[in-house]
Amino acid sequence: MQVAVRDLKAHLSRFLTRAQAGEAIEVTSHNRLIARIVGVPAEAAVALRAPIAQGALTWTARKPRLQPPLALAEQGTAVSQMVLEDRG
């Protein structure tokens, strides 16, 4: 089924319910397809339980936190110099 962005915004819950039931919702803007909404099968949630229980997956419902960048030591030979030397 196709739905315009304006209608999607006005009736989002209704369209999400339909997608969850298995219907693919195609979102259009000015009669051009811009997105497709598909529901997540119930089996997908079940399949994720085992890796979560084993600690292989975690999700806190927040944005991921990136590790701080590594500080590079200022001593030693620069990589660019090693590459030049390797090239001969």
Side-chain angles (χ1 to χ4, degrees):
M1 118 174 269
Q2 288 192 344
V3 61
V5 172
R6 180 184 348 191
D7 294 331
L8 178 67
K9 287 169 52 176
H11 306 287
L12 181 60
S13 295
R14 182 182 309 157
F15 290 114
L16 291 178
T17 300
R18 292 176 77 165
Q20 188 177 20
E23 188 173 349
I25 310 296
E26 294 182 336
V27 183
T28 61
S29 176
H30 303 286
N31 294 321
R32 289 184 45 222
L33 180 64
I34 60 169
R36 183 171 292 120
I37 301 172
V38 293
V40 176
E43 302 85 43
V46 173
L48 293 176
R49 288 184 187 149
I52 290 172
Q54 295 169 354
L57 291 175
T58 59
W59 185 53
T60 60
R62 295 183 182 150
K63 290 183 179 180
R65 292 186 184 175
L66 301 176
Q67 298 295 327
L70 297 174
L72 299 177
E74 293 184 20
Q75 55 199 10
T77 306
V79 173
S80 59
Q81 184 61 40
M82 287 189 279
V83 169
L84 289 174
E85 291 171 2
D86 189 49
R87 289 181 181 172

